[in-house]
């Protein structure tokens, strides 16, 4: 008969401290409060995007018309698109159209911004999901095993490797992975993209190297965070009790340690997903991937303001949805969170 081990009541307060209100911090209670909070964040992000694009040197009209355009032509195009209006007016005008699903047309291609984004999303989304999966597959088993051997050679070695990997920039990891796994061994293509519609195997072959480059930058942080939480949980009284009763180490880890140690990792993984989604510009450029990153990279020098705003809104919405999903997942992992 398996002895009943009760986890202490202090676990949710210690591992989920991010959920506790802090002094001087506005607390949004309930689903409506969270929606209001996320709506305020979305307004700030979109206004910030409008402000930043307005700070870019030069005129969008001049970028579109080219060097032969006259001042009158540039002024006429600016007036036609409302680019000569004050910043608040431009933002409110864009916002009124955006809430109706109209994000305007790209000044480069003339195509609707939403269509341009949806055409690039599958590449960036697949790259992000694959990178996050690889990072977790590397970090979680390594962190649990290393924590269970705290202070041993394997623990010190894995912690040292994690520190080294954290100091390697993404573009360096990308270049190294290209050299070792594409140029030297020939296992993967150097660059380019193949959609899933042309075969899953070929698609994964093209997606693996850029995803690995992104994952190598995130796995060390996951490793260090989960290792510290597992070590803290292993020092809890209920784990000592379970060990004293002769329960196998693997049973204690899988049954009593992993779940209470996963809250911080869950939060960081969600934040990382949003960061990977928004920060894939370097990797997409390095591997010549047709994703959102390369789309923004082309839009900024061309002063394609509407396209940049659309991409920012899309990423912000995804980021908010992920955070709301994580809030819900907290309640699934620990029912005591629902009472807060």
């Amino acid at each position: 008969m398996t002895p009943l081990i009760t986890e202490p009541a202090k676990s949710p307060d210690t591992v989920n401290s991010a959920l506790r209100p802090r002094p001087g911090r506005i607390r949004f209670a309930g689903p409506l409060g969270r929606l209001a909070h996320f709506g305020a964040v979305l307004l700030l992000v979109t206004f910030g995007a409008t402000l930043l694009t307005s700070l870019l040197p030069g005129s969008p009209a001049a970028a579109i018309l080219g060097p032969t355009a006259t001042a009158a032509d540039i002024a006429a195009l600016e007036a036609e698109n409302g680019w000569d209006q004050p910043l608040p007016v431009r933002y409110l005008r864009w916002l009124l159209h955006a809430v109706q699903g109209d994000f305007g047309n790209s000044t480069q291609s003339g195509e609707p911004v939403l269509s341009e984004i949806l055409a690039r999303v599958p590449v960036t989304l697949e790259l992000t999901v694959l990178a996050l999966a690889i990072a977790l597959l590397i970090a979680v088993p390594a962190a649990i095993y290393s924590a269970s051997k705290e202070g041993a050679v394997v623990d010190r070695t894995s912690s040292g490797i994690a520190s080294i990997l954290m100091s390697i920039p993404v573009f360096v990891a990308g270049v190294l992975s290209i050299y070792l796994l594409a140029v030297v061994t020939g296992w993967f293509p150097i660059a380019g993209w193949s959609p899933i519609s042309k075969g899953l195997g070929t698609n994964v072959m093209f997606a693996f190297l850029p995803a690995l480059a992104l994952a190598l930058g995130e796995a060390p942080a996951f490793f260090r965070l989960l290792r510290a939480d597992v070590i803290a949980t292993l020092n809890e009284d209920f784990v000592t009790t379970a060990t004293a009763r002769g329960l196998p180490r693997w049973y204690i880890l899988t049954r009593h340690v992993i779940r209470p140690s996963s809250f911080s990792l869950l939060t960081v993984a969600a934040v990382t997903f949003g960061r990977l989604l928004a920060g894939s510009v370097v990797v997409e450029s390095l591997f010549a991937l047709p994703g959102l990153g390369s789309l923004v990279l082309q839009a900024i020098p061309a002063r394609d303001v509407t396209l940049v705003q659309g991409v920012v809104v899309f990423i912000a919405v995804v980021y908010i949805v992920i955070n709301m999903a994580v809030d819900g997942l907290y309640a699934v992992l620990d029912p005591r969170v629902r009472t807060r």
Side-chain angles (χ1 to χ4, degrees):
M1 178 177 179
T2 303
L4 177 62
I5 305 298
T6 304
E7 296 171 15
K10 71 175 184 178
S11 291
D13 291 333
T14 54
V15 301
N16 200 25
S17 59
L19 294 179
R20 289 180 295 187
R22 298 172 183 173
R25 184 178 179 180
I26 298 175
R27 183 182 180 185
F28 296 88
L32 291 179
R34 289 175 183 169
L35 283 176
H37 171 68
F38 290 135
V41 171
L42 193 56
L43 287 175
L44 287 174
V45 169
T46 53
F47 182 77
T50 306
L51 175 63
L52 290 176
T53 52
S54 69
L55 296 177
L56 292 173
S59 165
I64 295 170
L65 296 175
T68 59
T70 64
D73 294 336
I74 294 174
L77 188 57
E78 287 183 341
E80 180 183 347
N81 289 278
W83 294 331
D84 58 343
Q85 298 295 317
L87 177 64
V89 176
R90 294 203 309 271
Y91 175 68
L92 288 176
R93 181 180 176 180
W94 174 86
L95 186 62
L96 287 175
H97 287 88
V99 295
Q100 301 175 52
D102 179 13
F103 293 92
N105 293 336
S106 167
T107 56
Q108 287 179 286
S109 63
E111 296 293 326
V113 167
L114 191 57
S115 300
E116 294 266 3
I117 293 173
L118 293 179
R120 302 293 190 106
V121 163
V123 177
T124 302
L125 197 59
E126 181 185 342
L127 181 63
T128 303
V129 171
L130 188 57
L132 193 61
I134 293 174
L136 290 173
L137 284 174
I138 294 173
V140 172
I144 294 173
Y145 186 73
S146 182
S148 67
K149 304 290 183 183
E150 182 185 7
V153 175
V154 65
D155 180 35
R156 294 197 299 271
T157 303
S158 55
S159 297
I161 293 174
S163 298
I164 294 172
L165 289 177
M166 287 189 75
S167 64
I168 299 177
V170 171
F171 71 91
V172 175
V175 171
L176 287 176
S177 61
I178 289 175
Y179 178 73
L180 295 175
L181 300 179
V183 176
V184 175
T185 63
W187 292 345
F188 298 94
I190 295 175
W193 184 257
S194 178
I196 297 178
S197 58
K198 292 186 178 179
L200 181 60
T202 308
N203 169 260
V204 173
M205 292 292 286
F206 278 94
F208 182 78
L209 278 190
L212 179 64
L214 285 172
L216 289 178
E218 304 298 338
F222 292 164
F223 168 84
R224 297 181 68 171
L225 179 66
L226 184 59
R227 175 186 172 275
D229 284 349
V230 170
I231 289 175
T233 307
L234 286 173
N235 290 323
E236 296 279 0
D237 292 339
F238 70 93
V239 175
T240 304
T241 302
T243 304
R245 291 186 177 185
L247 293 178
R249 190 68 164 176
W250 65 267
Y251 181 85
I252 295 173
L253 285 170
T254 56
R255 178 66 179 84
H256 297 293
V257 173
I258 292 178
R259 188 176 63 86
S261 302
S262 62
F263 286 88
S264 300
L265 179 64
L266 181 63
T267 304
V268 173
V271 174
T272 300
F273 185 90
R275 189 172 67 247
L276 289 173
L277 195 67
S280 59
V281 176
V282 174
V283 169
E284 288 188 7
S285 176
L286 183 64
F287 288 89
L289 304 182
L292 286 177
S294 57
L295 184 66
V296 172
L297 210 60
Q298 298 165 7
I300 291 176
R303 297 274 308 182
D304 197 339
V305 176
T306 52
L307 186 55
V308 174
Q309 282 180 321
V311 174
V312 170
V313 170
F314 175 80
I315 292 174
V317 169
V318 171
Y319 204 86
I320 288 171
V321 169
I322 290 172
N323 275 276
M324 293 178 70
V326 170
D327 283 349
L329 197 54
Y330 277 136
V332 174
L333 289 174
D334 191 341
R336 287 169 290 191
V337 176
R338 299 172 192 165
T339 62
R340 293 172 183 277

